[in-house]
Amino acid sequence: FYTPARAETIDLVPYEVQAVSISVPSGNPESISSVDDLAGKTIGVEAPGYEFDTLTAMAEQFAAEGKPALTVQTFKTNADAYQALSAGQLDGTSIVESVTSFYQEDGRFETAVGGINEAPLAMGFAKGSKSSAEVARVLSEMRSDGYLPELFEQYDVTGYNGDIAVSTGPLDS
């Protein structure tokens, strides 16, 4: 995920937009359908990362509002979190929206909540890398000739609407 703090340390090229989502077992046994429904639940997440930061902030907000605790259980990988969800050790697991479709393919999981903390995704490069400028140029051409939007549509991904360029700080859009 693109953050201004990351952009200060590495060159970033934003190209798509993602959000955090919550996957649950098929049939949604805990009836989770909104962010508020996560109060009192245990959600697994790969840590560290954007999803972990998002859920941790949500847990702090719930505590400040006096809601039942949101327990954020960390795992080394998303696959580990899904394994725990499969074993009934979690109420849900958190991952970016575009990945939930992969985990839903076999019918064991479904997306209960999506669209949480939406932000651009970016490719990262060493500061001052010539590759970053070239990747930005190629992605811009792919967007201009229609290939990138077509590819994103095929995979149900939202394209970044701002300038596809090397960014080293806050984004304008």
Side-chain angles (χ1 to χ4, degrees), residues 63-163:
E65 294 172 353
K67 293 180 180 177
L70 164 60
T71 303
V72 180
Q73 186 170 335
T74 60
F75 294 86
K76 288 185 180 184
T77 69
N78 286 315
D80 292 338
Y82 272 93
Q83 195 69 9
L85 181 60
S86 228
Q89 299 167 344
L90 303 169
D91 298 308
T93 190
S94 179
I95 196 165
V96 294
E97 286 181 329
S98 65
V99 179
T100 59
S101 59
F102 171 78
Y103 283 101
Q104 292 178 148
E105 285 179 1
D106 68 3
R108 293 184 300 151
F109 308 106
E110 63 185 73
T111 302
V113 183
I116 305 167
N117 205 14
E118 186 178 88
L121 287 186
M123 292 184 204
F125 300 88
K127 207 63 155 157
S129 166
K130 291 181 182 178
S131 298
S132 60
E134 185 63 11
V135 166
R137 183 189 68 74
V138 170
L139 286 172
S140 291
E141 282 181 14
M142 290 171 64
R143 180 162 65 182
S144 292
D145 71 15
Y147 181 75
L148 193 59
E150 185 178 299
L151 187 64
F152 285 165
E153 183 177 331
Q154 180 180 347
Y155 291 98
D156 200 25
V157 173
T158 302
Y160 175 66
N161 286 329
D163 190 24

